[in-house]
Amino acid sequence: MTSDEEEAPDASAAARAAVSGWLDVSGGEPAVSDGAVTVTVRVEVPQVVPFWTFDPVERSATMPYTPQEDEVP
């Protein structure tokens, strides 16, 4: 028997799966602090029109987090 947590993708894989395959995604590593977990990803926007460049886009999501019994020191 497995739990939902064991079957869930890791945060980095989920971040990459959430955008088109032709975009370059970095980040996605969770940061845990004060009962919350934050995941930040950064996407490099490709240049598709000559002379038009765009800054990378960075977004974060924060959700409540309760450590599992086996994660408590």
Side-chain angles (χ1 to χ4, degrees):
M1 183 171 194
T2 61
S3 70
D4 289 341
E5 183 177 310
E6 291 170 346
E7 295 176 3
D10 66 45
S12 185
R16 284 172 178 70
V19 297
S20 296
W22 59 277
L23 292 173
D24 183 21
V25 178
S26 61
E29 297 304 320
V32 179
S33 65
D34 298 328
V37 61
T38 300
V39 176
T40 301
V41 295
R42 180 181 174 114
V43 175
E44 298 291 332
V45 179
Q47 183 179 3
V48 294
V49 177
F51 308 110
W52 285 8
T53 59
F54 300 95
D55 293 333
V57 176
E58 187 174 289
R59 293 292 183 259
S60 297
T62 302
M63 298 293 290
Y65 177 74
T66 303
Q68 302 299 313
E69 289 180 16
D70 59 346
E71 295 176 333
V72 178

